[in-house]
């Protein structure tokens, strides 16, 4: 008989925390844009694009892993509304983790400035050719729309991050169940709620 997993796999855990750290890093880089000038702003933008593209690649990998490896069961039963809310938040995060860098890539590809993307100053990252080759008026319109969507997704990210962290802390501190320990392997479940 195969044992039922009650923790996420090591791959899922590594991808979760790596992507989370990269998203927070990119938020902090983005906050520097308004005050930066010249080469400092150029460097911040290049790093922001590099981190964003890394999030995109890792998120596609994470989504593929998630589809091939269903999440572990909950040790404690949860109310149905919490299952539904958790699932909605997680799938919305996948949309954000892929949508944010994609809209950024579209913005760069459509931009009339034609600034190249150098992934971590090492690799030239291509524009999306089907956008970059359009007429300039079309590119400007696409860049404008992508910018609006990109910034909308940023604000959605703020809200979902707050909700996600609050829910994790609620489970750990108030409910004292093993939900957070499913994704935080070095965290011991409270109340002697051991994970097999």
């Amino acid at each position: 008989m195969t044992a039922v997993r009650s923790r996420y796999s090591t791959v899922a855990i590594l991808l979760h925390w790596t992507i989370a750290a990269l998203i927070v890093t990119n938020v902090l880089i983005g906050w520097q844009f308004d005050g930066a000038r010249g080469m400092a702003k150029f460097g911040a933008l290049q790093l922001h694009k590099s981190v964003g593209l890394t999030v995109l690649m890792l998120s596609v990998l994470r989504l593929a892993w998630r589809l091939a490896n269903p999440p572990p069961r909950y040790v404690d039963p949860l109310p149905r509304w919490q299952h539904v809310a958790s699932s909605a938040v997680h799938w919305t995060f996948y949309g954000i983790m892929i949508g944010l860098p994609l809209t950024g890539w579209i913005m760069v590809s459509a931009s009339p400035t034609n600034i190249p993307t150098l992934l971590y100053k090492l690799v030239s990252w291509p524009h999306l050719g089907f956008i970059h080759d359009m007429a300039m008026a079309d590119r400007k319109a696409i860049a404008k729309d992508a910018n609006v969507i990109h910034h909308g997704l940023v604000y959605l990210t703020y809200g979902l991050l707050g909700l996600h962290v609050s829910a994790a802390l609620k489970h750990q501190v108030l409910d004292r169940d093993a939900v957070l320990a499913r994704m935080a392997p070095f965290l011991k479940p409270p109340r002697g709620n051991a994970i097999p």
Side-chain angles (χ1 to χ4, degrees), residues 161-172:
L161 277 175
L163 182 63
H164 189 59
V165 170
S166 297
L169 292 174
K170 172 203 172 280
H171 281 290
Q172 185 67 17

Side-chain angles (χ1 to χ4, degrees), residues 11-23 62 180 183-185:
V11 171
I13 291 169
L14 284 172
L15 287 170
H16 174 90
W17 292 109
T18 301
I19 292 169
L22 289 170
I23 288 172
R62 182 175 177 194
L180 182 56
M183 186 53 82

Side-chain angles (χ1 to χ4, degrees), residues 105-107 109-111 128-135 139 142:
W105 192 4
I106 290 168
M107 286 166 45
S109 298
S111 173
L128 292 166
F130 66 96
I131 293 173
H132 190 68
D133 295 339
M134 289 180 172
R139 285 172 55 184
I142 290 171

Side-chain angles (χ1 to χ4, degrees), residues 33-108:
F33 291 163
D34 287 341
R37 297 288 179 268
M39 289 307 294
K41 186 164 188 174
F42 177 80
L45 284 166
Q46 289 292 337
L47 182 57
H48 185 75
K49 292 189 287 184
S50 296
V51 172
L53 289 166
T54 304
V55 167
L56 176 61
M57 291 181 280
L58 291 177
S59 296
V60 170
L61 176 62
R62 182 175 177 194
L63 179 58
W65 184 265
R66 166 68 175 77
L67 293 173
N69 298 274
R73 67 175 176 83
Y74 287 98
V75 174
D76 293 317
L78 296 179
R80 175 155 176 74
W81 73 267
Q82 288 187 22
H83 278 287
V84 171
S86 174
S87 180
V89 168
H90 282 110
W91 286 108
T92 304
F93 263 127
Y94 281 112
I96 286 170
M97 294 182 308
I98 293 171
L100 256 177
L102 270 182
T103 54
W105 192 4
I106 290 168
M107 286 166 45
V108 170

Side-chain angles (χ1 to χ4, degrees), residues 4-37:
V4 178
R5 287 185 307 112
S6 52
R7 281 195 200 280
Y8 280 89
S9 68
T10 301
V11 171
I13 291 169
L14 284 172
L15 287 170
H16 174 90
W17 292 109
T18 301
I19 292 169
L22 289 170
I23 288 172
V24 170
T25 298
N26 235 11
V27 166
L28 296 175
I29 294 169
W31 287 350
Q32 298 175 26
F33 291 163
D34 287 341
R37 297 288 179 268

